Structures are given as structure tokens and as C-alpha cells.
Amino acid sequence: MKLITIVGARPQFIKASPFSDVFRKQHHEIMIHTGQHYDQNMSDIFFQELSIPKPDYYLGVGSGSHGLQTGRMLEKIEQILLKEKPDGVLVYGDTNSTLAGALAASKLHIPVFHVEAGLRSYNKRMPEEQNRVLTDHLSDLLLCPTKTAVENLKKEGITDGVLLTGDIMVDAVNRFMNISNKRYSNSKWLETLKAENPHIPLLKEKEYYLATIHRAENTDDLMKLQTIFTALERLDKPVLIPLHPRTQKLVEKLNISFRNVTIIQPVGYLLMLYLTKNAYMVVTDSGGLQKEAYLLKTPCTTLRDQTEWIETLENGWNCLCPINVHSIMEKASRKLDCLNHAQPQVFGDGNAAQRICQAIVNNFA
């Protein structure tokens, strides 16, 4: 079987690794990297660090408005599909790369397989929500990570081709946490960070907040961004932020003097797993990091009014937080009763890649 996989953003590189490892044992996979994330720390390092096969095509689309970026991807992906004539196209998640790949394939009557189908925030102002809904309605196989995702599709009248596979991020976390432990367990990374940045506090495991801020709803509104960083500055423990390059430029406009917040460049996935596992709490607007924090048993505060991953809210492992200084400080300093509760395996058993591969093969049986 000849399958084209389309990736373009950091989370998709991670999800692609366990699937490619299974699929390529018996079939032919061609990988297209759209270039949606394109700098070293957001793209190249993931292929090197996670031993993901080098993309067969790199489109180099780069940044731009949503329409411009998606349009450029659509044009270039279509040309490759016409040339390669694959049996199917696999897309991940909810990015512009996801939608462009699904549109290009669907218009050429090539089957579309959507990993992470059925997620909903029910906020159509979010570009991610628009992308995932449209992709689901174009897809032939809807590969759902949770029972909630299956129910969401059912509410929209989508039942054909819907399969509960479990979450492929569980596969990835299980695989790469072992490598991360070997590389960073008992390491001096936090001490090295202090040595390289004498002005920042020495961070200790389980005594720092790990924060990420990147969603347009939080970054494009400078008042919101100011509020978030003001709250982080006032938290009771040091805050470490690997900051997206786009957000970094916006933060510089705020002219904030940081004492409690330490900003670093984006880090590789193995180091991010270490930092997430060993944080006191994660404070984020990222969908993926909410779930990774949950899988690594690290409490989370989500700087959004809704989440696609409602399962993480059970027993207080995660909580939603409006953007104001008092709420952020209150939620981040809440009593962590969740640490006394066992976690159900709501995201599957870590064999999603195998199920996804089998579902694709069965589609052509």
C-alpha cells in the first residue's frame, strides 16, 4: 500500500513517529512536511531527536495568514498527489496542514484518514476548531482517540468509518519518556540553565511551573498577554517558559521586567517531556500539553474557556481558567487533591499506532 502522510507542526511530528514505525514494516509511506513549523527548534530537531524518517517532500510554506498559508499548502500538496497517486492520505490533528491535506486529497477522490478525529472545543472562532470539523467531514476513516470523540461525531451525524483507536500520543509518550529518562534523569540540566543565565533562579524538580503560551486568542490580544505574564510573575514558584518565536516577538512589545519568569527558546520533545514530568504544575493554552501533563501525572491549569480534552478535567488534574490575574493565581495555587486519585486509562493502552495501521489496511480489504 502507498500512503502519503502530511505533517507540518511540532505535535504532528511526534504523532507520526510511532505510526510510521509500524506502517513502514509492510507498506510504503511518503511523508510531506508542509513547513508550517520551520525553524530548527520547532521542526528539524524533532526529526533528528525522534528518529522520524526524513520527509520525502518539504514544501517550505512558512508563516502567513491562515488563508494564505492553507492556500499555498493546498496547491503544492495537490501537485504531489497527482504525481505520486497514493492509495490514501493520512492527516493528524487540527492544523492548517491538516485541512490542506484533507482538501487536496478529497477533491482528487483519494481516501482521507484523520488521526485525532472527533475532538471539539465548540468554539468556532478557533482556527483549530474550524480545521478539525471540516477535516472530519471530508474523511473516510475517522480515527478517534477517546469515547468522547466518537460521541461528538455521532452528534454531527457521522458514524460511518468511525473507529475508537485510543490516542497515539500515549504511544509516543510511552516510547519517548524512556529515552528522556535515560538522557535527563539525574542530569544537571537545570543547573546548567542557571549557569548560563546567572540572573534567573535555580530551578528544582517539582518546584517550578512550566508554562507555554501560543494560541492566537491569547497572544494576539496584547492586554490578555500582559495579564497572563503579570499573573505568572506573581506565582509562588519560579516559572519556566519555552516560548514560541512568534509569541516572543509579541512579549518584547510589552516591555515587562521579568524576575519570576524565565523565558527560553523552544526545546526538543525529550527535554519537554522531562520538564513536564518534573514540573510542579503546567500552565498552558496548548491542547497537546494538557494531555501530556495528564499522562505524566502533572497537574495542569489551562488558560482557555474550553478544552477538547475534557477527560483531563476529572478529579482536578486539569482546570480551565479565564484570563485575569486573580483567576490564574487562584487556579495555579489550588489544592492538588488529584495527586491522591488513580487515573483511568481514558486515552487508551498505548497501542493506537497498531490499530490505526490495521484500520487503514482493512479499509482496502
Side-chain angles (χ1 to χ4, degrees):
M1 185 182 302
K2 186 177 184 179
L3 180 74
I4 282 185
T5 294
I6 296 171
V7 296
R10 168 181 176 144
Q12 295 167 336
F13 310 148
I14 299 163
K15 296 166 193 169
S17 179
F19 172 78
S20 294
D21 188 53
V22 172
F23 188 81
R24 292 188 181 211
K25 289 177 180 176
Q26 294 183 313
H27 305 282
H28 182 202
E29 182 186 34
I30 296 170
M31 187 173 289
I32 299 174
H33 180 355
T34 65
Q36 183 171 336
H37 283 174
Y38 50 88
D39 74 353
Q40 166 66 20
N41 286 334
M42 297 298 289
S43 174
D44 294 352
I45 190 172
F46 285 85
F47 289 91
Q48 298 161 7
E49 187 178 63
L50 306 183
S51 299
I52 301 171
K54 185 178 178 181
D56 300 276
Y57 293 92
Y58 179 73
L59 306 187
V61 170
S63 60
S65 67
H66 289 289
L68 180 66
Q69 191 180 63
T70 307
R72 285 175 175 170
M73 292 176 186
L74 181 58
E75 179 183 7
K76 294 185 177 186
I77 291 169
E78 182 182 61
Q79 293 171 1
I80 297 170
L81 297 183
L82 288 169
K83 173 186 172 184
E84 295 288 352
K85 297 179 174 57
D87 297 304
V89 169
L90 181 74
V91 294
Y92 291 91
D94 54 21
T95 68
N96 290 339
S97 300
T98 310
L99 179 58
L103 275 170
S106 181
K107 287 179 179 295
L108 293 173
H109 307 294
I110 299 170
V112 178
F113 312 132
H114 185 200
V115 176
E116 247 180 29
L119 299 186
R120 295 292 183 268
S121 67
Y122 296 102
N123 177 4
K124 289 189 177 179
R125 292 183 61 84
M126 291 174 58
E128 295 87 354
E129 182 77 354
Q130 298 166 15
N131 290 341
R132 64 172 73 105
V133 171
L134 290 169
T135 299
D136 281 342
H137 283 262
L138 292 170
S139 295
D140 297 86
L141 279 182
L142 299 105
L143 305 157
C144 298
T146 64
K147 292 179 181 177
T148 302
V150 173
E151 288 301 312
N152 289 340
L153 293 173
K154 187 176 180 180
K155 292 174 187 175
E156 296 174 20
I158 303 175
T159 55
D160 291 342
V162 176
L163 293 168
L164 176 61
T165 62
D167 197 321
I168 200 165
M169 282 304 296
V170 180
D171 302 39
V173 168
N174 289 347
R175 171 187 294 196
F176 295 119
M177 195 68 241
N178 291 331
I179 303 172
S180 177
N181 284 334
K182 291 176 183 177
R183 180 173 297 187
Y184 293 106
S185 180
N186 300 319
S187 75
K188 303 294 183 181
W189 189 88
L190 294 174
E191 293 180 16
T192 300
L193 179 66
K194 166 67 174 174
E196 293 174 350
N197 302 271
H199 60 287
I200 69 172
L202 174 62
L203 303 181
K204 297 181 180 179
E205 293 182 356
K206 295 299 180 182
E207 295 183 17
Y208 64 88
Y209 293 93
L210 176 67
T212 68
I213 313 296
H214 78 276
R215 285 193 182 272
E217 62 199 80
N218 287 331
T219 60
D220 288 356
D221 184 332
L222 289 183
M223 287 292 291
K224 271 191 173 183
L225 198 59
Q226 177 88 48
T227 297
I228 291 169
F229 277 92
T230 298
L232 295 178
E233 266 293 300
R234 297 181 184 178
L235 292 181
D236 59 332
K237 294 177 178 60
V239 181
L240 180 66
I241 306 183
L243 201 59
H244 190 289
R246 178 178 172 277
T247 311
Q248 174 73 56
K249 293 177 183 178
L250 295 169
V251 169
E252 290 170 0
K253 294 181 181 180
L254 301 178
N255 197 27
I256 300 175
S257 177
F258 293 118
R259 286 182 287 274
N260 195 49
V261 171
T262 299
I263 295 175
I264 60 174
Q265 292 185 344
V267 299
Y269 186 57
L270 297 180
L271 179 52
M272 195 64 181
L273 284 175
Y274 164 81
L275 294 175
T276 303
K277 181 183 178 183
N278 290 290
Y280 167 76
M281 178 181 290
V282 165
V283 181
T284 187
D285 58 11
S286 161
L289 188 54
Q290 293 174 53
K291 183 175 53 181
E292 287 168 336
Y294 180 89
L295 295 174
L296 295 172
K297 296 182 171 59
T298 300
C300 182
T301 297
T302 295
L303 303 177
R304 289 168 55 189
D305 295 324
Q306 65 281 126
T307 179
E308 305 82 8
W309 304 108
I310 61 172
E311 296 85 357
T312 64
L313 301 176
E314 188 175 348
N315 293 327
W317 282 98
N318 185 17
C319 72
L320 301 175
C321 182
I323 307 301
N324 66 71
V325 173
H326 174 75
S327 294
I328 294 171
M329 294 179 65
E330 180 183 42
K331 298 292 187 181
S333 61
R334 69 186 184 274
K335 188 176 180 181
L336 301 180
D337 293 329
C338 58
L339 298 174
N340 301 319
H341 294 278
Q343 286 185 339
Q345 283 191 335
V346 291
F347 296 112
D349 58 5
N351 292 307
Q354 185 66 50
R355 293 191 188 94
I356 292 168
C357 180
Q358 192 59 53
I360 292 171
V361 172
N362 290 346
N363 186 71
F364 295 98

